[in-house]
């Protein structure tokens, strides 16, 4: 029971270390995949919407604290992304959604939600071209994150806990 | 009452938790300037940065050879600049002597390395391995041999976080080096633009942009970039000026923190002024 809450935090610190040290080495035109979002989507589908929402808030708050971003910004975007991913949970659906290419599509959707909210709150300005921001800051990074999430499907099924 | 609450909770708990966490996020967002919140952030990133620095050290050693070659090349270029500047310096000293003006200002540089980068489109920031112990203070400019990188945002004992030019929260007073026109430099999330320049003002593509001497953040002229695109506005009063920064923010590893903050600089200049009264 305790591990249910501690494991995602341990995983977070490990994955966040990768995110800020190794992942920048695979950037494409300044775009990097969001590994934290991939694990958030995984936990949200496998453990439910409520769990995903709270975990999104915790992950977002930790990212804001560690990265020096505006405090509360990632918390808001990751909370809603975790909540969105929670719609794809369910006793029968969750195994299908975590073990097939559906997973990447869900990651794509949640990543778009996450990046749109993040970009909107951080660059809100009447002069800014919203469509350009949606394309460059939301769609492209989301696509990259979704592509990287395919690698997650190769992680052995028996090691995953649902 | 309790049964009603239990029923509502059972049916809508996901939505209730969502509303609570979203509200909590918005409350925290509004408290960003609170000194206590800043202190908590400094402790949090300082603790995590010590772990990150170990990993970043491992990766940075593999780049040493390439970096060494680039540094030798920069060194040669700087040597040529230096000999030119020496000539100007001699002339400058002669002119200063003529007007009995003594320069008391100096700009110590604090060397630092980047231990992590947040490659966000809007909130780009870098974590540096120099902090309060090295006399780094919030507001100090971060530079390298090419130009301005950003401004120190917050510091812990051993580490600091700097907002780069690609951060929407960083707005700087800059000027056109040729025409001495001042404007506000701002990152929109996709490009670096210079704001508040009337359409009739003299700005040309290729003009060098430096930090302004009226800047409240950076007290010395530091190169920032070059005007890449200039469009006089058709209907509005202000023109559109796109600036290409000198520094490629994705490839920087080592940099310097200019150990001055504006207040000290103003104080020094005022003292200098009164000395000659």
């Amino acid at each position: 029971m305790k591990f249910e809450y501690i494991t995602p935090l341990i995983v977070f610190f490990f994955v966040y270390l990768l995110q800020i040290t190794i992942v920048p080495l695979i950037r494409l035109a300044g775009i990097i995949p969001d590994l934290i979002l991939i694990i958030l989507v995984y936990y949200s589908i496998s453990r439910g919407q409520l769990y995903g929402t709270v975990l999104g808030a915790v992950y977002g708050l930790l990212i804001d604290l560690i990265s020096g971003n505006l405090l509360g910004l990632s918390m808001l975007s990751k909370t809603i992304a975790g909540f969105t991913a929670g719609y794809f949970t369910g006793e029968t659906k969750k195994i299908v959604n975590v073990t097939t290419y559906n997973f990447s599509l869900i990651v794509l959707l949640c990543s778009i939600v996450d990046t749109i909210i993040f970009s909107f709150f951080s660059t809100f300005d009447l002069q800014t071209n919203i469509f350009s921001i949606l394309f460059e800051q939301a769609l492209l990074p989301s696509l990259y994150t979704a592509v990287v999430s395919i690698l997650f499907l190769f992680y052995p099924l028996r090691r995953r806990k649902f | 009452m309790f049964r009603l609450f239990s029923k509502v909770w059972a049916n809508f708990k996901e939505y209730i938790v969502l509303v609570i966490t979203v509200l909590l996020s918005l409350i925290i967002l509004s408290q960003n300037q609170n000194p206590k919140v800043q202190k908590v952030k400094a402790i949090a990133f300082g603790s995590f940065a010590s772990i990150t620095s170990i990993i970043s050290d491992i990766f940075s050693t593999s780049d040493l050879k390439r970096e060494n070659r680039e540094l030798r090349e920069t060194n040669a270029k700087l040597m040529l600049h230096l000999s030119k500047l020496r000539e100007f310096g001699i002339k400058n000293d002669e002119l200063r002597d003529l007007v009995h003006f003594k320069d008391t200002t100096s700009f110590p540089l604090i060397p630092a390395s980047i231990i992590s980068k947040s490659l966000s489109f809007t909130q780009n920031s870098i974590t540096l391995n120099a902090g309060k112990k090295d006399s780094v203070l919030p507001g100090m400019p971060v530079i390298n041999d090419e130009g301005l990188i950003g401004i120190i945002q917050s510091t812990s004992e051993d580490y600091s976080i700097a907002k780069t030019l690609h951060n929407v929260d960083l707005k700087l007073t800059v000027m056109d080096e040729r025409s001495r026109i001042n404007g506000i430099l701002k990152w929109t999330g996709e490009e670096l633009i210079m704001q508040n320049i009337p359409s009739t003002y003299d700005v040309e593509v290729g003009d060098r942009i430096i930090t302004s001497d009226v800047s409240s953040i950076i007290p010395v002229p530091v190169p920032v970039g070059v005007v890449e695109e200039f469009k006089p506005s058709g209907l509005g009063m202000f023109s559109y000026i796109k600036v290409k920064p000198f520094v490629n923010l994705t490839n920087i590893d080592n940099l310097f923190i200019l150990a001055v903050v504006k207040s000290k600089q103003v104080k020094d200049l005022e003292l200098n002024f009164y000395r000659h009264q």
Side-chain angles (χ1 to χ4, degrees), chain B:
Chain B
M1 186 69 186
F2 181 75
R3 274 171 69 185
L4 179 72
F5 181 77
S6 301
K7 204 175 173 185
V8 171
W9 172 254
N11 289 329
F12 301 104
K13 59 185 177 214
E14 288 85 3
Y15 297 96
I16 293 168
V17 170
L18 176 71
V19 170
I20 292 169
T21 44
V22 166
L23 283 176
L24 201 62
S25 313
L26 294 173
I27 292 167
I28 294 173
L29 256 175
S30 67
Q31 294 296 314
N32 263 281
Q33 299 306 320
N34 188 326
K36 283 179 187 168
V37 173
Q38 298 278 353
K39 206 174 175 182
V40 171
K41 272 171 85 173
I43 294 167
F45 87 74
S47 318
F48 197 75
S50 50
I51 306 164
T52 318
S53 66
I54 299 166
I55 296 175
S56 90
D57 281 350
I58 298 165
F59 282 94
S60 60
T61 47
S62 62
D63 279 343
L64 279 179
K65 209 171 176 181
R66 176 188 58 84
E67 204 177 302
N68 235 349
R69 195 177 60 240
E70 284 173 5
L71 282 175
R72 275 202 295 271
E73 195 182 323
T74 313
N75 226 358
K77 282 179 188 166
L78 285 175
M79 186 268 291
L80 294 171
H81 277 297
L82 189 66
S83 64
K84 212 174 186 181
L85 287 172
R86 273 202 186 114
E87 278 180 43
F88 291 138
I90 293 163
K91 279 180 192 167
N92 197 24
D93 285 343
E94 286 170 5
L95 291 170
R96 277 172 191 279
D97 286 343
L98 284 175
V99 291
H100 306 290
F101 181 82
K102 280 191 170 41
D103 188 5
T104 55
T105 58
S106 60
F107 305 114
L109 294 172
I110 303 167
S113 297
I114 296 175
I115 56 170
S116 74
K117 295 174 191 172
S118 128
L119 291 172
S120 159
F121 275 102
T122 53
Q123 298 281 323
N124 199 304
S125 59
I126 46 177
T127 308
L128 311 174
N129 65 350
K132 281 179 195 161
K133 274 184 189 165
D134 308 283
S135 313
V136 179
L137 294 171
M140 286 180 172
V142 181
I143 59 168
N144 73 356
D145 57 305
E146 290 170 324
L148 184 74
I149 293 166
I151 302 288
I152 297 291
Q153 181 193 1
S154 50
T155 54
S156 68
E157 281 303 307
D158 299 304
Y159 302 95
S160 51
I161 283 189
K163 287 178 191 173
T164 70
L165 290 174
H166 287 182
N167 190 310
V168 288
D169 293 333
L170 184 68
K171 294 180 182 75
L172 294 171
T173 315
V174 292
M175 72 174 174
D176 186 312
E177 196 178 46
R178 182 182 58 81
S179 58
R180 320 302 288 178
I181 291 166
N182 287 292
I184 307 288
L185 188 80
K186 180 192 160 191
W187 174 250
T188 63
E190 46 186 335
E191 57 194 15
L192 206 57
I193 57 161
M194 208 169 148
Q195 285 183 314
N196 298 349
I197 307 280
S199 302
T200 50
Y201 278 30
D202 176 25
V203 177
E204 288 172 8
V205 172
D207 280 359
R208 272 169 62 91
I209 302 298
I210 57 171
T211 54
S212 170
D213 39 17
V214 298
S215 167
S216 61
I217 304 173
I218 304 172
V220 280
V222 178
V224 176
V226 64
V227 175
E228 194 179 32
E229 202 178 335
F230 172 73
K231 274 189 240 161
S233 173
L235 296 167
M237 280 172 65
F238 300 110
S239 47
Y240 165 85
I241 299 167
K242 186 178 170 185
V243 177
K244 185 184 176 191
F246 287 125
V247 180
N248 182 353
L249 293 170
T250 50
N251 292 337
I252 42 171
D253 289 317
N254 297 303
L255 40 78
F256 295 98
I257 298 156
L258 200 56
V260 284
V261 282
K262 178 72 176 181
S263 56
K264 186 186 176 299
Q265 191 69 14
V266 170
K267 198 177 151 192
D268 286 348
L269 286 171
E270 281 170 359
L271 281 174
N272 198 22
F273 173 75
Y274 289 122
R275 233 172 258 145
H276 292 92
Q277 285 270 301

Side-chain angles (χ1 to χ4, degrees), chain A residues 1 13 20 27 31-32 39 56 74 84 101 120 132 144 150:
Chain A
M1 186 66 183
F13 285 111
I20 58 173
R27 66 173 175 264
I31 295 166
I32 54 166
I39 55 164
S74 295
T84 311
Y101 288 106
F120 180 79
S132 157
Y144 197 10
I150 294 172

